[in-house]
Amino acid sequence: MRFELSLPVDYLGIKRKLQIGFSENFPSVALALSIIPSPWLEWPHILDDFVCLFGGGDKAVYGDPIEVIDNTFYRLGKLISLVCESKNFSQIKNEFDSEVISYWAMQTALSPQKLILLNKPKISAPLYTLSKVGTLGREDIWISDNEKKVLEHYQWQVSPSKKKIDAGKGAFYLKLTSTPNVKLPTAFGLVDWLSSHADGNDIKALKDWLENDSNYPLRWVILEIFNSDPVSIISLLIKRKGVRDNQTFNFGLRKAKKNPRVNLIGVRDKLLITDAFILDNEVIFSRSKDLKVEDNTKNKVLLIGAGSLGSHVASQLIHSGIKDLTIVDPDSLDDSNLGRHILTIDDLGENKSIALKKYLKSCIPTALITAIPQTFYQALFYKDININSYDCIVSTSADWSTEYFIWEMKSKIKDIAFVQAWVEPFAFVGHVLCSGKTKTADARHLFDRSGNFRRKFTHWENNGYHKLPACGVGFIPGSSLSIQQIAGMVSKSVIAVLDKNEGLGCNAWNSFVTDSRKVTMAGGQYIGPEIDENIESMVIRNEWCDK
């Protein structure tokens, strides 16, 4: 069913009609709205042939017919009032500007390449470009204003032995000072379209680059949207006439020509859009509004133990903005680790610290991660670590000799922040002991001579240890889900220790408890604090005192 209504004359002097359609699934689906003739790129919130009334954060109403119609016409009325009655041209432009990337992206085709900016450029300038050749022209193009960063990324991704690369300059980063017209130009008209929306010197540099320094059949102009927070970009590809869609070009893998010929934009060149992504902390953590990411990136953490608990802690710390992480673990990944570890079958037989470094770098490439495939004592002996250089030392190794040594150091030197974490058998309970840099501390009295916690919450035969048919080999069971929850508690404790404003003045003892009533079913005995039967999982916060 479809209805048609006449609309008032709009700000362009055009009289249009509104078409309203009801589908068979109404009111479980929205009304179908269209405006004839289409005001595409003339009215905001009109995307080609349909009306977009619900932007980011807005939700349409469904279910009740009256509510659906009322909500739709309320929003539609505001749009019609803007373009037909108020004729507020600046407000109309502001509406377009707020969603301008969507409008631009719908006016041209998407190229098969993918641009990876290895950092966010601080100024408008040509960018070094390097290809990672794919198939049928689907290259990843690595880009940076720092040639060394491009080389380091190539070494990490492709060939560690590569010592020098003559990277091309196939892209230009332009910081806009206002938003250009919503109607995308042709490639030939690109510079004129941009000329009044960027600094004059930046436009001159763009022209010089286009005419003299970018002798490539594919060239990108990356626009940083004015006043976008977090930063938003769109990458416009100038594609020389005659270039096929699946044609592959290498950037920087061969020595650049010393005297590149002038390469003006031709009237038959095409303007396309290319997907572009920024690997910069400002962007990567832009949605982590609750985290003090900027402070966390300044911290340096030593993690001892990259097992089931440690691997999840490492991942959570990196995803919380910890930029500098050193991981110490001599062990290799076994098939029996897969059920609880963050690593995968591709890492079987590999040293855990090295494999974890590779995995975490693929998650947060801006992180500085050091892998030391040794025991803690070996790393100390060979001077691979200096425990006084870290803002926090975290042990998830359950190695009492290591933790005994660190507590002994902490009892003498206050400028060592230490977090010790472990899981009780079957992972119904996990603990973390913390001490910041405000004073000396010693938690050794909380353990017996074998390193067993005197205030444990569960009791198990043989301390829950399952021996395997090999010398000194065995394991303590525990579910992956509970270990991940305990890791969350540990990671939050580490961040609290590092938080200078929080000022951890006490020695914290945090304990995670889940499914305490199931301990008996698993063959153990729960001897910890009484937990209300309505509580499934909880974190208990306490303090511990020096002996």
Side-chain angles (χ1 to χ4, degrees):
M1 184 181 298
R2 183 174 291 273
F3 297 91
E4 190 170 276
L5 301 174
S6 294
L7 297 175
V9 176
D10 68 10
Y11 75 102
L12 296 171
I14 300 175
K15 190 171 181 60
R16 308 178 195 266
K17 293 183 178 181
L18 170 67
Q19 292 185 342
I20 308 169
F22 292 82
S23 71
E24 293 180 357
N25 295 322
F26 179 83
S28 296
V29 297
L31 292 172
L33 303 177
S34 60
I35 296 175
I36 307 299
S38 172
W40 164 237
L41 301 182
E42 295 172 343
W43 292 14
H45 310 301
I46 306 295
L47 298 180
D48 203 0
D49 60 349
F50 67 95
V51 182
C52 176
L53 297 177
F54 300 94
D58 294 328
K59 291 185 179 181
V61 174
Y62 299 106
D64 183 277
I66 296 177
E67 287 188 16
V68 171
I69 293 173
D70 284 349
N71 187 255
T72 300
F73 275 84
Y74 168 74
R75 293 173 179 273
L76 182 63
K78 292 177 67 175
L79 173 60
I80 293 174
S81 176
L82 174 64
V83 299
C84 295
E85 297 175 8
S86 71
K87 298 184 180 180
N88 188 329
F89 300 111
S90 63
Q91 187 177 350
I92 291 172
K93 186 179 187 307
N94 288 340
E95 290 294 317
F96 273 121
D97 291 353
S98 67
E99 299 174 347
V100 72
I101 289 180
S102 298
Y103 296 112
W104 288 341
M106 294 181 69
Q107 296 175 57
T108 187
L110 182 68
S111 79
Q113 295 83 13
K114 180 170 65 177
L115 301 187
I116 307 294
L117 278 75
L118 303 179
N119 62 293
K120 176 183 170 291
K122 295 182 179 180
I123 62 172
S124 299
L127 304 177
Y128 295 99
T129 54
L130 189 65
S131 302
K132 179 185 179 184
V133 179
T135 57
L136 297 177
R138 294 185 178 89
E139 304 99 337
D140 283 359
I141 310 295
W142 298 322
I143 300 177
S144 177
D145 55 358
N146 185 327
E147 189 174 18
K148 182 181 178 182
K149 188 177 287 290
V150 176
L151 172 59
E152 290 174 348
H153 193 79
Y154 185 87
Q155 291 171 330
W156 171 44
Q157 289 283 307
V158 181
S159 174
S161 62
K162 195 76 172 179
K163 301 300 181 185
K164 189 177 187 302
I165 289 177
D166 294 295
K169 291 186 177 180
F172 191 97
Y173 192 84
L174 184 66
K175 297 173 72 72
L176 297 177
T177 56
S178 59
T179 304
N181 194 289
V182 69
K183 294 183 180 180
L184 207 61
T186 63
F188 187 70
L190 178 62
V191 175
D192 288 340
W193 181 71
L194 292 169
S195 59
S196 60
H197 300 285
D199 183 85
N201 291 327
D202 293 344
I203 293 295
K204 182 179 182 301
L206 171 63
K207 289 179 179 178
D208 290 343
W209 171 77
L210 285 169
E211 295 175 2
N212 303 308
D213 295 334
S214 60
N215 183 30
Y216 297 104
L218 302 177
R219 295 176 287 176
W220 287 271
V221 178
I222 302 168
L223 306 180
E224 181 182 311
I225 304 302
F226 176 63
N227 269 351
S228 57
D229 182 25
V231 64
S232 295
I233 62 171
I234 186 169
S235 177
L236 303 177
L237 168 62
I238 303 168
K239 180 178 169 184
R240 189 185 297 171
K241 67 176 182 178
V243 175
R244 300 187 305 275
D245 290 340
N246 62 353
Q247 196 166 347
T248 297
F249 295 95
N250 291 336
F251 291 88
L253 296 180
R254 296 178 181 176
K255 191 169 183 178
K257 295 180 179 180
K258 293 182 179 179
N259 297 304
R261 63 183 177 84
V262 173
N263 186 19
L264 301 175
I265 301 176
V267 294
R268 295 174 59 190
D269 289 353
K270 293 183 178 179
L271 190 68
L272 305 175
I273 300 287
T274 300
D275 282 334
F277 307 91
I278 304 178
L279 305 184
D280 190 282
N281 281 346
E282 180 182 335
V283 176
I284 291 172
F285 296 107
S286 62
R287 300 187 180 184
S288 302
K289 299 296 186 182
D290 58 324
L291 295 175
K292 300 177 181 178
V293 174
E294 187 175 347
D295 291 337
N296 290 344
T297 58
K298 301 173 184 177
N299 290 314
K300 188 176 181 181
V301 175
L302 171 65
L303 175 64
I304 305 165
S308 300
L309 179 60
S311 65
H312 288 286
V313 170
S315 176
Q316 291 173 7
L317 291 178
I318 289 297
H319 283 88
S320 297
I322 298 299
K323 187 176 180 180
D324 193 331
L325 178 66
T326 298
I327 306 170
V328 177
D329 197 307
D331 296 334
S332 299
L333 188 73
D334 194 13
D335 49 8
S336 60
N337 298 139
L338 293 175
R340 306 189 302 186
H341 210 280
I342 205 168
L343 296 176
T344 70
I345 59 172
D346 294 334
D347 305 305
L348 286 172
E350 298 293 326
N351 172 264
K352 290 178 181 178
S353 66
I354 294 175
L356 191 55
K357 171 185 175 179
K358 180 180 178 181
Y359 171 79
L360 295 175
K361 285 286 288 183
S362 70
C363 295
I364 308 292
T366 56
L368 176 61
I369 301 174
T370 304
I372 302 178
Q374 302 170 353
T375 67
F376 171 74
Y377 287 109
Q378 288 173 329
L380 273 181
F381 180 79
Y382 292 111
K383 297 183 179 180
D384 291 318
I385 58 174
N386 175 6
I387 62 174
N388 294 310
S389 67
Y390 298 97
D391 296 290
C392 185
I393 300 172
V394 184
S395 176
T396 60
S397 64
D399 179 63
W400 178 233
S401 65
T402 295
E403 291 154 353
Y404 186 98
F405 174 83
I406 298 173
W407 281 122
E408 185 176 30
M409 296 287 293
K410 176 64 179 168
S411 69
K412 303 172 183 176
I413 306 172
K414 74 173 185 178
D415 291 331
I416 296 177
F418 184 39
V419 174
Q420 178 186 353
W422 69 99
V423 176
E424 293 194 18
F426 289 86
F428 292 113
V429 175
H431 300 281
V432 56
L433 299 178
C434 311
S435 185
K437 289 189 172 184
T438 57
K439 60 182 179 181
T440 60
D442 189 353
R444 287 177 292 176
H445 65 283
L446 299 175
F447 301 84
D448 65 21
R449 295 192 178 189
S450 299
N452 298 309
F453 192 47
R454 299 183 188 274
R455 302 180 184 179
K456 61 187 179 181
F457 289 4
T458 60
H459 176 76
W460 305 86
E461 184 179 352
N462 197 31
N463 287 324
Y465 188 80
H466 285 241
K467 190 178 184 306
L468 294 175
C471 181
V473 179
F475 68 96
I476 294 177
S479 74
S480 175
L481 181 58
S482 295
I483 288 174
Q484 291 179 53
Q485 291 176 294
I486 293 168
M489 175 188 68
V490 176
S491 301
K492 287 184 177 181
S493 299
V494 174
I495 298 300
V497 168
L498 292 169
D499 189 347
K500 306 298 189 299
N501 294 322
E502 187 163 318
L504 188 68
C506 64
N507 296 322
W509 166 28
N510 300 328
S511 301
F512 171 85
V513 182
T514 187
D515 295 324
S516 60
R517 287 168 294 282
K518 293 183 180 180
V519 173
T520 303
M521 298 169 58
Q525 180 183 2
Y526 182 76
I527 56 176
E530 184 177 349
I531 307 297
D532 190 287
E533 62 180 11
N534 295 319
I535 296 176
E536 179 181 300
S537 302
M538 66 183 299
V539 173
I540 303 171
R541 302 192 183 281
N542 289 301
E543 296 182 15
W544 61 271
C545 300
D546 281 327
K547 188 175 180 179

